[in-house]
Amino acid sequence: MGRKLLTEHINVEGIDTLEVYRKHGGYRSVEKALKTMTPDEVVEEVKKSGLRGRGGAGFPTGMKWSFLAKPEGVPRYLVCNADESEPGTFKDRQLMSKLPHLLIEGMITSSYALGANTSYIYIRGELLYVLRILEKAIAEAYAAGFLGKNILGSGYDLDLFVHPGGGAYICGEETALLESLEGKRGNPRNKPPFPAVQGLYARPTVVNNVESIAAVPVIVNEGGDEYAKIGVGRSTGTKLISACGHLNKPGIYEIELGLPVEEFIYSDEYCGGIWKGRDLKAVVAGGSSVPILPKELILKTAAGENRLMTYESLSDGGFVTGTMLGSGGFIAMDETTCIVRNTWNFSRFYHHESCGQCSPCREGTGWMEKVLHRLEHGHGHMEDIDLLVSVAKQIEGNTICPLGEAAAWPVAAAVRHFRHEFEWHVTHAKEAAQPGAVYRPSGVLV
Protein backbone atom coordinates (compact mmCIF):
# COMPACT_ATOMS: atom_id res chain seq x y z
CA MET A 1 0.00 0.00 0.00
CA GLY A 2 1.05 3.61 -0.52
CA ARG A 3 1.78 6.26 2.11
CA LYS A 4 -0.89 7.13 4.64
CA LEU A 5 -0.80 10.85 5.30
CA LEU A 6 -4.17 11.29 7.00
CA THR A 7 -5.07 7.85 8.34
CA GLU A 8 -1.72 6.51 9.55
CA HIS A 9 -2.82 6.62 13.19
CA ILE A 10 -6.58 6.24 12.72
CA ASN A 11 -6.74 2.88 14.53
CA VAL A 12 -4.58 3.91 17.50
CA GLU A 13 -6.54 3.48 20.71
CA GLY A 14 -7.57 6.85 22.15
CA ILE A 15 -6.43 8.84 19.09
CA ASP A 16 -9.65 10.88 19.38
CA THR A 17 -8.30 12.40 22.61
CA LEU A 18 -5.87 15.31 22.67
CA GLU A 19 -3.40 13.46 24.90
CA VAL A 20 -2.93 10.52 22.52
CA TYR A 21 -3.13 12.71 19.43
CA ARG A 22 -0.31 14.90 20.78
CA LYS A 23 1.85 11.83 21.46
CA HIS A 24 1.60 11.01 17.76
CA GLY A 25 2.71 14.43 16.58
CA GLY A 26 -0.59 16.27 16.78
CA TYR A 27 -0.71 20.08 16.58
CA ARG A 28 2.87 20.36 15.32
CA SER A 29 1.62 22.33 12.32
CA VAL A 30 -0.05 24.88 14.62
CA GLU A 31 3.18 25.35 16.55
CA LYS A 32 5.22 25.60 13.37
CA ALA A 33 2.87 27.98 11.58
CA LEU A 34 2.18 30.34 14.47
CA LYS A 35 5.77 30.47 15.74
CA THR A 36 7.90 30.33 12.58
CA MET A 37 5.73 31.22 9.56
CA THR A 38 3.71 34.16 8.31
CA PRO A 39 0.17 33.58 7.03
CA ASP A 40 1.34 34.18 3.46
CA GLU A 41 4.06 31.54 3.88
CA VAL A 42 1.44 28.96 4.92
CA VAL A 43 -0.64 29.83 1.85
CA GLU A 44 2.45 29.47 -0.33
CA GLU A 45 3.17 25.97 1.02
CA VAL A 46 -0.39 24.91 0.23
CA LYS A 47 0.04 26.30 -3.29
CA LYS A 48 3.30 24.38 -3.74
CA SER A 49 1.64 21.16 -2.59
CA GLY A 50 -0.80 21.18 -5.49
CA LEU A 51 -3.58 20.14 -3.08
CA ARG A 52 -6.92 20.15 -4.88
CA GLY A 53 -10.31 20.37 -3.21
CA ARG A 54 -11.31 16.93 -1.99
CA GLY A 55 -15.02 17.66 -1.84
CA GLY A 56 -15.65 17.03 -5.52
CA ALA A 57 -14.71 20.06 -7.62
CA GLY A 58 -10.95 19.46 -7.45
CA PHE A 59 -10.08 23.20 -7.56
CA PRO A 60 -6.54 24.04 -6.34
CA THR A 61 -6.86 24.86 -2.64
CA GLY A 62 -3.97 27.33 -2.43
CA MET A 63 -5.30 29.26 -5.40
CA LYS A 64 -8.75 29.40 -3.81
CA TRP A 65 -7.18 30.80 -0.65
CA SER A 66 -5.32 33.46 -2.63
CA PHE A 67 -8.63 34.79 -3.99
CA LEU A 68 -9.79 35.77 -0.49
CA ALA A 69 -10.41 39.51 -0.28
CA LYS A 70 -8.62 41.24 2.60
CA PRO A 71 -10.20 44.66 3.13
CA GLU A 72 -8.78 46.50 6.15
CA GLY A 73 -10.75 46.06 9.36
CA VAL A 74 -13.22 43.55 7.89
CA PRO A 75 -13.47 40.08 9.48
CA ARG A 76 -12.85 36.96 7.39
CA TYR A 77 -14.16 33.45 7.90
CA LEU A 78 -13.13 29.87 7.22
CA VAL A 79 -16.00 27.42 6.95
CA CYS A 80 -15.48 23.68 6.82
CA ASN A 81 -18.02 21.90 4.63
CA ALA A 82 -18.80 18.73 6.58
CA ASP A 83 -22.25 18.33 5.03
CA GLU A 84 -21.28 15.02 3.44
CA SER A 85 -24.42 13.93 1.58
CA GLU A 86 -23.30 12.56 -1.79
CA PRO A 87 -24.67 9.02 -2.20
CA GLY A 88 -21.72 6.64 -2.11
CA THR A 89 -19.48 9.00 -0.10
CA PHE A 90 -18.76 8.43 3.59
CA LYS A 91 -15.09 9.33 4.13
CA ASP A 92 -15.42 12.66 5.97
CA ARG A 93 -17.54 11.28 8.81
CA GLN A 94 -14.84 8.66 9.39
CA LEU A 95 -12.15 11.32 9.62
CA MET A 96 -14.20 13.45 12.01
CA SER A 97 -15.29 10.60 14.28
CA LYS A 98 -11.90 8.85 14.47
CA LEU A 99 -9.50 11.81 14.12
CA PRO A 100 -11.39 14.91 15.29
CA HIS A 101 -8.20 16.68 16.35
CA LEU A 102 -6.73 16.34 12.86
CA LEU A 103 -9.60 18.42 11.47
CA ILE A 104 -9.37 20.91 14.35
CA GLU A 105 -5.61 21.26 13.80
CA GLY A 106 -6.24 21.84 10.12
CA MET A 107 -8.87 24.47 10.93
CA ILE A 108 -6.48 26.36 13.22
CA THR A 109 -3.56 26.34 10.78
CA SER A 110 -5.79 27.21 7.82
CA SER A 111 -7.60 29.98 9.72
CA TYR A 112 -4.24 31.49 10.65
CA ALA A 113 -3.18 31.44 7.01
CA LEU A 114 -6.40 33.18 5.97
CA GLY A 115 -6.49 35.72 8.79
CA ALA A 116 -9.77 34.35 10.12
CA ASN A 117 -10.50 34.79 13.83
CA THR A 118 -13.83 32.96 13.79
CA SER A 119 -14.34 29.68 11.95
CA TYR A 120 -17.11 27.14 11.59
CA ILE A 121 -17.53 23.44 10.92
CA TYR A 122 -20.91 22.99 9.21
CA ILE A 123 -21.86 19.35 9.73
CA ARG A 124 -24.69 17.28 8.30
CA GLY A 125 -27.61 17.30 10.74
CA GLU A 126 -27.95 13.51 10.85
CA LEU A 127 -24.39 13.17 12.17
CA LEU A 128 -25.13 14.35 15.70
CA TYR A 129 -22.88 11.65 17.17
CA VAL A 130 -19.97 13.11 15.19
CA LEU A 131 -20.91 16.62 16.31
CA ARG A 132 -20.59 15.50 19.94
CA ILE A 133 -17.15 14.04 19.24
CA LEU A 134 -16.01 17.28 17.61
CA GLU A 135 -17.38 19.43 20.43
CA LYS A 136 -15.51 17.35 22.99
CA ALA A 137 -12.27 17.64 20.99
CA ILE A 138 -12.76 21.40 20.57
CA ALA A 139 -13.18 21.77 24.34
CA GLU A 140 -9.89 19.90 24.81
CA ALA A 141 -8.18 22.20 22.29
CA TYR A 142 -9.45 25.30 24.14
CA ALA A 143 -8.24 23.90 27.47
CA ALA A 144 -4.78 23.22 26.00
CA GLY A 145 -4.45 26.72 24.55
CA PHE A 146 -4.79 25.77 20.90
CA LEU A 147 -8.03 27.75 20.57
CA GLY A 148 -9.16 31.01 22.10
CA LYS A 149 -7.17 34.14 22.83
CA ASN A 150 -3.43 34.51 22.15
CA ILE A 151 -2.88 30.93 20.96
CA LEU A 152 0.56 29.66 22.10
CA GLY A 153 1.51 33.26 22.95
CA SER A 154 1.50 34.18 19.26
CA GLY A 155 -1.02 37.00 19.52
CA TYR A 156 -3.37 35.10 17.19
CA ASP A 157 -6.96 34.54 18.34
CA LEU A 158 -9.41 31.95 17.00
CA ASP A 159 -12.84 30.76 18.04
CA LEU A 160 -14.16 27.57 16.43
CA PHE A 161 -17.80 26.45 16.35
CA VAL A 162 -19.64 23.36 15.09
CA HIS A 163 -23.01 24.03 13.47
CA PRO A 164 -25.45 21.24 12.53
CA GLY A 165 -27.37 21.59 9.29
CA GLY A 166 -30.89 20.46 8.53
CA GLY A 167 -29.94 17.39 6.51
CA ALA A 168 -30.39 18.89 3.05
CA TYR A 169 -28.12 17.73 0.21
CA ILE A 170 -28.28 21.19 -1.33
CA CYS A 171 -26.44 22.59 1.69
CA GLY A 172 -23.32 20.82 0.45
CA GLU A 173 -23.17 23.59 -2.17
CA GLU A 174 -21.05 26.29 -0.59
CA THR A 175 -23.39 29.28 -0.96
CA ALA A 176 -26.44 27.29 0.18
CA LEU A 177 -24.33 26.20 3.14
CA LEU A 178 -23.60 29.84 3.98
CA GLU A 179 -27.29 30.72 3.74
CA SER A 180 -28.10 27.89 6.14
CA LEU A 181 -25.30 28.90 8.50
CA GLU A 182 -26.82 32.39 8.62
CA GLY A 183 -30.15 30.85 9.68
CA LYS A 184 -31.89 31.11 6.32
CA ARG A 185 -33.35 28.52 3.96
CA GLY A 186 -30.51 26.66 2.20
CA ASN A 187 -30.92 28.10 -1.30
CA PRO A 188 -27.81 28.64 -3.43
CA ARG A 189 -26.81 32.23 -4.19
CA ASN A 190 -26.14 33.77 -7.55
CA LYS A 191 -22.42 34.20 -8.26
CA PRO A 192 -20.76 36.68 -8.51
CA PRO A 193 -20.18 37.89 -5.89
CA PHE A 194 -18.22 34.81 -4.85
CA PRO A 195 -17.80 33.82 -1.19
CA ALA A 196 -14.16 34.97 -1.30
CA VAL A 197 -15.52 38.51 -1.65
CA GLN A 198 -18.95 38.31 0.01
CA GLY A 199 -19.52 35.07 1.85
CA LEU A 200 -20.71 34.47 5.40
CA TYR A 201 -22.47 37.60 6.69
CA ALA A 202 -21.37 39.29 3.44
CA ARG A 203 -17.72 39.05 4.57
CA PRO A 204 -14.79 37.37 2.74
CA THR A 205 -15.08 33.62 3.30
CA VAL A 206 -13.32 30.42 2.26
CA VAL A 207 -15.29 27.17 2.24
CA ASN A 208 -13.26 23.96 2.17
CA ASN A 209 -14.08 20.26 2.51
CA VAL A 210 -13.13 18.22 5.59
CA GLU A 211 -10.49 16.17 3.78
CA SER A 212 -8.95 19.27 2.20
CA ILE A 213 -8.51 20.96 5.59
CA ALA A 214 -7.23 17.75 7.20
CA ALA A 215 -4.41 17.67 4.62
CA VAL A 216 -3.11 21.11 5.61
CA PRO A 217 -1.22 19.97 8.77
CA VAL A 218 0.65 17.36 6.71
CA ILE A 219 1.59 19.96 4.11
CA VAL A 220 2.82 22.47 6.70
CA ASN A 221 4.79 19.83 8.62
CA GLU A 222 6.41 18.15 5.62
CA GLY A 223 6.49 21.07 3.18
CA GLY A 224 4.50 21.67 0.04
CA ASP A 225 7.25 20.39 -2.24
CA GLU A 226 7.40 17.05 -0.42
CA TYR A 227 3.64 16.63 -0.59
CA ALA A 228 3.69 17.36 -4.32
CA LYS A 229 6.11 14.48 -4.89
CA ILE A 230 3.29 12.06 -4.09
CA GLY A 231 0.84 11.39 -6.90
CA VAL A 232 0.95 11.99 -10.64
CA GLY A 233 1.11 15.30 -12.47
CA ARG A 234 -1.43 17.79 -11.13
CA SER A 235 -3.06 15.07 -9.01
CA THR A 236 -0.79 15.31 -5.97
CA GLY A 237 -0.91 13.72 -2.55
CA THR A 238 -3.29 11.08 -1.27
CA LYS A 239 -7.06 10.76 -1.57
CA LEU A 240 -9.64 9.07 0.62
CA ILE A 241 -11.90 6.77 -1.39
CA SER A 242 -15.27 5.56 -0.12
CA ALA A 243 -15.52 2.15 -1.81
CA CYS A 244 -18.90 0.44 -1.75
CA GLY A 245 -21.21 -1.70 -3.84
CA HIS A 246 -20.45 -5.22 -5.05
CA LEU A 247 -16.91 -5.47 -3.66
CA ASN A 248 -15.31 -8.13 -1.51
CA LYS A 249 -13.77 -5.49 0.75
CA PRO A 250 -15.82 -2.28 0.77
CA GLY A 251 -14.55 0.48 3.04
CA ILE A 252 -12.53 3.67 3.19
CA TYR A 253 -9.09 3.59 1.58
CA GLU A 254 -6.39 6.24 1.51
CA ILE A 255 -4.61 5.88 -1.82
CA GLU A 256 -1.76 7.67 -3.49
CA LEU A 257 -3.23 9.41 -6.52
CA GLY A 258 -2.07 7.60 -9.64
CA LEU A 259 -3.06 4.11 -8.50
CA PRO A 260 -4.49 2.11 -11.45
CA VAL A 261 -8.26 1.64 -11.15
CA GLU A 262 -7.87 -2.06 -11.92
CA GLU A 263 -5.44 -2.49 -9.05
CA PHE A 264 -7.76 -0.61 -6.69
CA ILE A 265 -10.69 -2.87 -7.56
CA TYR A 266 -8.97 -6.25 -7.80
CA SER A 267 -5.88 -6.24 -5.57
CA ASP A 268 -6.06 -7.82 -2.13
CA GLU A 269 -4.50 -4.68 -0.66
CA TYR A 270 -7.61 -2.71 -1.56
CA CYS A 271 -11.09 -3.87 -2.61
CA GLY A 272 -10.24 -7.53 -3.29
CA GLY A 273 -12.29 -7.90 -6.47
CA ILE A 274 -16.00 -8.30 -7.17
CA TRP A 275 -18.00 -10.32 -4.66
CA LYS A 276 -19.29 -13.85 -5.25
CA GLY A 277 -16.93 -14.27 -8.21
CA ARG A 278 -19.17 -12.19 -10.44
CA ASP A 279 -18.10 -9.94 -13.29
CA LEU A 280 -17.79 -6.17 -12.98
CA LYS A 281 -20.43 -4.36 -15.00
CA ALA A 282 -20.05 -0.65 -14.25
CA VAL A 283 -18.56 1.86 -11.82
CA VAL A 284 -19.57 5.26 -10.53
CA ALA A 285 -16.14 6.58 -9.57
CA GLY A 286 -16.78 9.84 -7.75
CA GLY A 287 -20.18 9.75 -6.08
CA SER A 288 -23.64 9.49 -7.62
CA SER A 289 -23.37 12.83 -9.44
CA VAL A 290 -20.60 11.76 -11.85
CA PRO A 291 -21.12 9.82 -15.11
CA ILE A 292 -21.29 6.04 -14.83
CA LEU A 293 -18.79 4.05 -16.91
CA PRO A 294 -19.01 0.43 -18.12
CA LYS A 295 -16.25 -2.02 -17.21
CA GLU A 296 -14.24 -1.57 -20.40
CA LEU A 297 -14.04 2.23 -19.95
CA ILE A 298 -13.38 2.33 -16.21
CA LEU A 299 -10.39 -0.01 -16.49
CA LYS A 300 -8.98 1.47 -19.72
CA THR A 301 -9.32 4.80 -21.47
CA ALA A 302 -10.79 4.89 -24.97
CA ALA A 303 -7.18 5.00 -26.21
CA GLY A 304 -6.43 1.71 -24.43
CA GLU A 305 -4.29 3.17 -21.62
CA ASN A 306 -4.69 2.07 -18.02
CA ARG A 307 -7.21 4.25 -16.23
CA LEU A 308 -5.66 5.80 -13.11
CA MET A 309 -7.20 7.15 -9.93
CA THR A 310 -6.38 10.76 -10.79
CA TYR A 311 -8.43 13.80 -11.75
CA GLU A 312 -6.95 13.82 -15.24
CA SER A 313 -7.05 10.11 -16.09
CA LEU A 314 -10.64 9.58 -14.97
CA SER A 315 -11.77 12.57 -17.00
CA ASP A 316 -9.82 11.47 -20.09
CA GLY A 317 -12.18 11.43 -23.05
CA GLY A 318 -14.57 13.95 -21.53
CA PHE A 319 -18.04 12.74 -20.74
CA VAL A 320 -18.13 10.71 -23.95
CA THR A 321 -15.77 8.06 -22.59
CA GLY A 322 -14.66 9.48 -19.23
CA THR A 323 -15.99 10.52 -15.83
CA MET A 324 -14.77 12.41 -12.72
CA LEU A 325 -12.91 11.58 -9.51
CA GLY A 326 -15.37 13.85 -7.68
CA SER A 327 -15.70 13.21 -3.97
CA GLY A 328 -14.21 9.73 -4.24
CA GLY A 329 -17.50 7.87 -3.76
CA PHE A 330 -16.53 4.70 -5.65
CA ILE A 331 -19.59 2.52 -6.34
CA ALA A 332 -18.92 -0.82 -8.07
CA MET A 333 -21.77 -2.69 -9.74
CA ASP A 334 -21.68 -6.34 -10.76
CA GLU A 335 -23.44 -8.10 -13.63
CA THR A 336 -26.69 -8.46 -11.66
CA THR A 337 -27.20 -4.68 -11.53
CA CYS A 338 -30.08 -3.16 -13.47
CA ILE A 339 -28.78 0.14 -14.82
CA VAL A 340 -32.28 1.52 -15.41
CA ARG A 341 -33.33 0.77 -11.82
CA ASN A 342 -30.11 2.25 -10.47
CA THR A 343 -30.51 5.43 -12.55
CA TRP A 344 -34.12 5.78 -11.43
CA ASN A 345 -32.99 5.49 -7.81
CA PHE A 346 -30.42 8.26 -8.29
CA SER A 347 -33.03 10.44 -9.99
CA ARG A 348 -35.45 9.98 -7.10
CA PHE A 349 -32.75 11.32 -4.80
CA TYR A 350 -31.98 14.42 -6.88
CA HIS A 351 -35.66 15.23 -7.42
CA HIS A 352 -36.22 15.03 -3.67
CA GLU A 353 -33.15 17.12 -2.83
CA SER A 354 -33.64 19.92 -5.39
CA CYS A 355 -34.27 23.18 -3.56
CA GLY A 356 -36.76 24.17 -6.25
CA GLN A 357 -35.27 27.60 -6.83
CA CYS A 358 -34.46 27.02 -10.53
CA SER A 359 -37.22 25.89 -12.89
CA PRO A 360 -35.01 23.61 -15.06
CA CYS A 361 -33.92 21.66 -11.98
CA ARG A 362 -37.21 21.75 -10.12
CA GLU A 363 -39.22 20.54 -13.12
CA GLY A 364 -36.52 18.58 -14.94
CA THR A 365 -35.56 16.32 -12.04
CA GLY A 366 -39.21 15.45 -11.62
CA TRP A 367 -39.61 14.63 -15.31
CA MET A 368 -36.55 12.38 -15.29
CA GLU A 369 -37.79 10.50 -12.24
CA LYS A 370 -41.23 9.99 -13.82
CA VAL A 371 -39.84 8.79 -17.16
CA LEU A 372 -37.41 6.40 -15.48
CA HIS A 373 -40.21 5.09 -13.29
CA ARG A 374 -42.23 4.37 -16.43
CA LEU A 375 -39.36 2.50 -18.05
CA GLU A 376 -38.52 0.50 -14.94
CA HIS A 377 -42.13 -0.53 -14.31
CA GLY A 378 -43.00 -1.64 -17.83
CA HIS A 379 -44.91 1.42 -19.04
CA GLY A 380 -42.20 3.09 -21.11
CA HIS A 381 -42.02 3.95 -24.79
CA MET A 382 -38.99 4.04 -27.08
CA GLU A 383 -39.21 7.83 -27.40
CA ASP A 384 -38.86 8.09 -23.61
CA ILE A 385 -35.16 7.27 -23.95
CA ASP A 386 -34.45 10.31 -26.11
CA LEU A 387 -36.76 12.35 -23.89
CA LEU A 388 -34.49 11.58 -20.92
CA VAL A 389 -31.46 12.83 -22.83
CA SER A 390 -33.34 15.94 -23.95
CA VAL A 391 -34.46 16.84 -20.42
CA ALA A 392 -30.94 16.29 -19.08
CA LYS A 393 -29.54 18.68 -21.69
CA GLN A 394 -32.11 21.32 -20.78
CA ILE A 395 -31.14 21.13 -17.11
CA GLU A 396 -27.37 21.16 -17.61
CA GLY A 397 -25.86 24.65 -17.48
CA ASN A 398 -29.18 26.35 -16.74
CA THR A 399 -29.21 26.37 -12.94
CA ILE A 400 -27.68 28.57 -10.24
CA CYS A 401 -25.79 25.71 -8.62
CA PRO A 402 -24.32 22.37 -9.79
CA LEU A 403 -27.17 20.22 -8.46
CA GLY A 404 -28.76 20.44 -11.90
CA GLU A 405 -25.65 18.94 -13.49
CA ALA A 406 -25.42 16.38 -10.68
CA ALA A 407 -28.91 15.18 -11.59
CA ALA A 408 -28.46 15.34 -15.37
CA TRP A 409 -25.02 13.77 -15.87
CA PRO A 410 -25.80 10.30 -14.41
CA VAL A 411 -28.92 9.99 -16.56
CA ALA A 412 -27.23 11.10 -19.77
CA ALA A 413 -24.25 8.79 -19.13
CA ALA A 414 -26.46 5.79 -18.35
CA VAL A 415 -28.30 6.19 -21.65
CA ARG A 416 -25.03 6.84 -23.51
CA HIS A 417 -23.34 3.64 -22.33
CA PHE A 418 -26.30 1.34 -21.66
CA ARG A 419 -28.92 2.36 -24.19
CA HIS A 420 -29.51 -1.29 -25.04
CA GLU A 421 -30.80 -1.85 -21.49
CA PHE A 422 -33.22 1.04 -21.74
CA GLU A 423 -34.48 -0.30 -25.06
CA TRP A 424 -34.89 -3.78 -23.55
CA HIS A 425 -37.11 -2.26 -20.85
CA VAL A 426 -39.41 -1.11 -23.64
CA THR A 427 -39.30 -4.17 -25.92
CA HIS A 428 -39.56 -6.62 -23.00
CA ALA A 429 -41.69 -4.50 -20.69
CA LYS A 430 -43.43 -7.38 -18.94
CA GLU A 431 -40.18 -9.18 -18.09
CA ALA A 432 -38.39 -5.96 -17.13
CA ALA A 433 -41.15 -5.03 -14.67
CA GLN A 434 -40.64 -8.22 -12.66
CA PRO A 435 -39.00 -7.64 -9.25
CA GLY A 436 -35.25 -8.11 -9.52
CA ALA A 437 -35.26 -8.41 -13.31
CA VAL A 438 -31.92 -7.58 -14.94
CA TYR A 439 -31.01 -7.34 -18.61
CA ARG A 440 -28.41 -9.79 -19.90
CA PRO A 441 -27.02 -9.81 -23.47
CA SER A 442 -28.31 -13.37 -23.79
CA GLY A 443 -31.78 -12.15 -22.90
CA VAL A 444 -31.83 -14.24 -19.70
CA LEU A 445 -33.33 -12.65 -16.62
CA VAL A 446 -31.42 -12.64 -13.36
Side-chain angles (χ1 to χ4, degrees):
M1 285 190 175
R3 290 182 61 184
K4 300 292 181 287
L5 303 182
L6 305 184
T7 61
E8 180 183 2
H9 304 301
I10 198 167
N11 293 317
V12 172
E13 186 175 353
I15 196 66
D16 59 325
T17 66
L18 184 135
E19 180 184 4
V20 177
Y21 183 71
R22 286 282 284 160
K23 288 179 180 178
H24 289 82
Y27 289 98
R28 283 194 299 122
S29 75
V30 175
E31 295 171 329
K32 181 178 179 180
L34 269 60
K35 293 180 179 179
T36 69
M37 302 173 73
T38 66
D40 286 343
E41 286 173 339
V42 178
V43 174
E44 189 59 32
E45 289 302 318
V46 175
K47 282 184 177 179
K48 288 180 186 177
S49 73
L51 175 68
R52 296 170 66 170
R54 302 306 199 216
F59 191 81
T61 304
M63 186 180 297
K64 185 175 186 177
W65 286 10
S66 68
F67 293 156
L68 185 68
K70 299 179 180 179
E72 191 68 31
V74 175
R76 301 164 220 151
Y77 299 102
L78 170 64
V79 178
C80 173
N81 185 347
D83 190 64
E84 185 176 51
S85 328
E86 181 86 350
T89 308
F90 43 91
K91 61 186 177 63
D92 291 343
R93 67 195 69 184
Q94 179 85 340
L95 267 184
M96 291 186 288
S97 62
K98 299 289 187 180
L99 291 165
H101 283 285
L102 177 62
L103 176 59
I104 294 166
E105 180 179 359
M107 289 294 292
I108 299 167
T109 305
S110 301
S111 297
Y112 171 72
L114 297 168
N117 298 111
T118 304
S119 295
Y120 297 88
I121 300 172
Y122 181 96
I123 191 167
R124 184 163 177 78
E126 288 88 342
L127 299 179
L128 281 176
Y129 76 98
V130 181
L131 182 145
R132 303 302 180 211
I133 293 170
L134 286 172
E135 286 183 331
K136 180 182 177 182
I138 287 172
E140 288 184 312
Y142 268 106
F146 289 110
L147 285 170
K149 300 290 184 182
N150 192 25
I151 298 173
L152 303 180
S154 65
Y156 174 64
D157 305 335
L158 177 65
D159 286 311
L160 178 61
F161 303 94
V162 186
H163 182 92
Y169 174 76
I170 192 65
C171 289
E173 194 277 331
E174 62 178 7
T175 61
L177 184 158
L178 296 176
E179 287 285 291
S180 178
L181 191 52
E182 290 177 4
K184 305 171 189 173
R185 189 174 192 269
N187 281 358
R189 301 173 180 173
N190 278 306
K191 295 183 283 190
F194 292 91
V197 178
Q198 289 186 31
L200 186 64
Y201 309 124
R203 303 303 190 192
T205 304
V206 167
V207 182
N208 281 137
N209 170 262
V210 171
E211 186 184 348
S212 307
I213 292 172
V216 172
V218 177
I219 292 167
V220 171
N221 288 333
E222 305 298 327
D225 290 331
E226 288 301 311
Y227 185 91
K229 291 177 182 178
I230 302 171
V232 177
R234 294 193 304 112
S235 294
T236 63
T238 64
K239 177 80 182 78
L240 295 181
I241 304 295
S242 311
C244 63
H246 299 145
L247 297 166
N248 283 321
K249 294 166 57 182
I252 299 168
Y253 296 93
E254 184 175 6
I255 66 166
E256 291 189 15
L257 287 169
L259 179 75
V261 174
E262 187 168 8
E263 182 178 344
F264 179 67
I265 295 173
Y266 290 103
S267 76
D268 290 335
E269 294 182 4
Y270 296 102
C271 299
I274 307 303
W275 74 337
K276 299 182 180 179
R278 293 173 178 165
D279 192 22
L280 176 67
K281 181 174 185 176
V283 166
V284 174
S288 66
S289 61
V290 310
I292 189 173
L293 286 183
K295 175 182 178 179
E296 61 271 17
L297 286 177
I298 193 63
L299 301 181
K300 303 279 186 181
T301 67
E305 298 176 351
N306 286 335
R307 188 80 76 174
L308 307 178
M309 297 288 279
T310 67
Y311 294 94
E312 292 76 26
S313 181
L314 284 169
S315 63
D316 184 82
F319 281 179
V320 176
T321 60
T323 184
M324 298 168 65
L325 180 59
S327 61
F330 195 93
I331 308 171
M333 305 174 195
D334 71 14
E335 58 195 327
T336 67
T337 303
C338 174
I339 300 299
V340 176
R341 189 180 307 126
N342 180 78
T343 308
W344 169 53
N345 200 34
F346 282 171
S347 287
R348 290 169 59 203
F349 172 81
Y350 287 109
H351 180 208
H352 179 269
E353 294 294 339
S354 172
C355 75
Q357 186 175 196
C358 305
S359 296
C361 181
R362 181 183 65 246
E363 303 299 330
T365 54
W367 270 107
M368 290 193 298
E369 181 191 346
K370 289 175 184 176
V371 173
L372 285 161
H373 180 277
R374 281 207 302 259
L375 289 164
E376 171 60 20
H377 292 85
H379 308 298
H381 307 282
M382 202 61 77
E383 55 266 29
D384 284 341
I385 301 172
D386 288 329
L387 177 60
L388 281 173
V389 176
S390 175
V391 173
K393 286 181 178 178
Q394 292 176 66
I395 298 173
E396 185 178 357
N398 293 310
T399 57
I400 290 174
C401 86
L403 189 142
E405 281 83 4
W409 289 342
V411 173
V415 174
R416 183 183 308 120
H417 298 299
F418 297 95
R419 190 181 186 97
H420 52 283
E421 286 204 31
F422 287 83
E423 293 174 347
W424 181 80
H425 273 68
V426 176
T427 59
H428 296 74
K430 186 176 180 180
E431 296 95 319
Q434 295 177 20
V438 177
Y439 166 85
R440 286 285 189 90
S442 62
V444 178
L445 291 176
V446 175

